Amino acid sequence: MSDSLNAPEASQPAEPVPTGDSGEHCGHAPGVSVRHTRAKGEPRFPDGPKADPAGSHFERRIRSFQPRRSRVTAGQADALQRLWPKWGLDIDGQHPVDPAELFGNDNPVVLEIGFGMGEATARMAGADPETNILAVDVHTPGQGNLLNLADQRGLANVRVGNGDAIILLREMLAPDALDGLRVYFPDPWPKKRHHKRRLIQPEFLDLAATRIRPGGIVHCATDWEPYAEQMLEVLTAHPAFENTQPGGGFSPRPEFRPLTRFEGQGLDKGHVVNDLLFRRVQHHNQPPT
């Protein structure tokens, strides 16, 4: 699901042609990739997500992902154009986000980091309309697909963030702004020299702990067992979180997390999927924000 948030940079993508709702106004059917020659300096999606909303100068740490503007279908491009001004958020690191204003209500807010093509996100949003989901990814086709799904299913509790979730957490969200955090199937960075790029690290949890209210749940899932063991180790050791599983260890997949296509492919290959659910503890001396 969230491998797109942590994937190597893709090759130069195809360029979409804006279409109407049906994808037919410009002679292209939905689901078909299209190319468009842009003038120099013309933005790819004039009303859609920015290519680098925070600016590469803003973030000098080693990032665990590269933006992927790979092949976008006409339907996805149409959704990005039509729906981004309404349901999209460019993570620029400069404008604070008020979740109540963003969603138009005071319902609990869960941050999902990395959502792939958005199918599982849309299913969870539909099953729990009283929980708002702020879903962040850098995969442009996935952003368009999730917007399309939200539109088709009338999901008013989904917002799509474009950019670096670390910047969102550190620069744009207030303390205790979130009721939960979901990280499903992040890139495991299997080579030892790349382990520092893994998202679930003590420093990340330090930051997340300042933004998740006491009682909020951090839910991770992975089919890469060495990464699962690392996640369990760092979450267990962190003083801001406690395991919801009696006796410690991994948790059964909760009913609210759908079995995804990506997960099914891994299970077909014999992979073992591990879920971890940790609760933000009530009393914890946080570092200054």
Side-chain angles (χ1 to χ4, degrees):
M1 296 222 358
S2 58
D3 7 333
S4 61
L5 196 65
N6 301 275
E9 188 169 8
S11 58
Q12 290 298 315
E15 301 294 347
V17 176
T19 66
D21 293 354
S22 67
E24 298 175 352
H25 298 303
C26 295
H28 299 288
V32 178
S33 296
V34 292
R35 291 185 179 274
H36 166 62
T37 302
R38 290 175 292 136
K40 184 176 181 181
E42 178 188 347
R44 184 172 183 192
F45 302 105
D47 298 315
K50 295 181 175 61
D52 189 5
S56 56
H57 64 280
F58 186 85
E59 191 61 33
R60 289 185 168 83
R61 67 179 170 82
I62 297 175
R63 295 193 292 183
S64 61
F65 69 91
Q66 290 287 345
R68 290 180 64 195
R69 297 218 147 196
S70 51
R71 198 164 293 170
V72 177
T73 68
Q76 292 162 1
D78 172 58
L80 289 166
Q81 290 294 106
R82 289 189 300 110
L83 302 172
W84 192 260
K86 179 181 178 183
W87 288 336
L89 172 69
D90 275 312
I91 300 171
D92 60 10
Q94 300 177 45
H95 299 88
V97 174
D98 178 353
E101 181 179 343
L102 182 67
F103 287 93
N105 58 56
D106 293 318
N107 290 344
V109 177
V110 171
L111 173 64
E112 182 177 358
I113 300 180
F115 55 80
M117 295 305 291
E119 290 97 340
T121 305
R123 288 169 64 185
M124 289 187 289
D128 184 11
E130 300 305 311
T131 295
N132 295 324
I133 301 177
L134 175 51
V136 174
D137 210 309
V138 293
H139 188 217
T140 313
Q143 293 167 351
N145 199 60
L146 179 53
L147 287 170
N148 235 346
L149 291 172
D151 187 36
Q152 292 168 0
R153 302 178 188 180
L155 304 176
N157 58 331
V158 174
R159 299 293 182 271
V160 179
N162 168 50
D164 191 338
I166 300 294
I167 293 177
L168 173 69
L169 286 165
R170 193 183 62 209
E171 309 290 344
M172 299 172 68
L173 289 174
D176 296 347
L178 300 173
D179 293 84
L181 173 67
R182 296 169 180 169
V183 183
Y184 299 154
F185 303 99
D187 193 311
W189 294 102
K191 294 181 180 178
K192 186 174 182 179
R193 68 177 184 270
H194 291 155
H195 285 184
K196 61 187 176 183
R197 296 179 179 269
R198 289 175 171 174
L199 180 63
I200 306 302
Q201 306 275 7
E203 297 80 6
F204 172 75
L205 295 179
D206 289 342
L207 174 60
T210 67
R211 301 298 184 253
I212 302 171
R213 64 164 180 81
I217 298 295
V218 172
H219 182 194
C220 303
T222 180
D223 67 335
W224 192 263
E225 290 186 83
Y227 195 9
E229 295 290 346
Q230 179 191 325
M231 289 180 178
L232 181 61
E233 179 181 346
V234 298
L235 279 161
T236 300
H238 202 284
F241 300 99
E242 63 181 7
N243 200 334
T244 63
Q245 181 69 6
F250 300 109
S251 298
R253 178 176 65 86
E255 290 186 2
F256 69 81
R257 183 177 74 76
L259 184 69
T260 68
R261 181 172 54 184
F262 177 88
E263 183 177 358
Q265 291 171 349
L267 292 171
D268 289 343
K269 297 175 183 176
H271 296 185
V272 175
V273 176
N274 287 298
D275 283 75
L276 304 93
L277 286 92
F278 277 71
R279 181 181 295 109
R280 168 80 161 77
V281 298
Q282 187 71 33
H283 301 292
H284 171 63
N285 294 323
Q286 299 180 9
T289 58

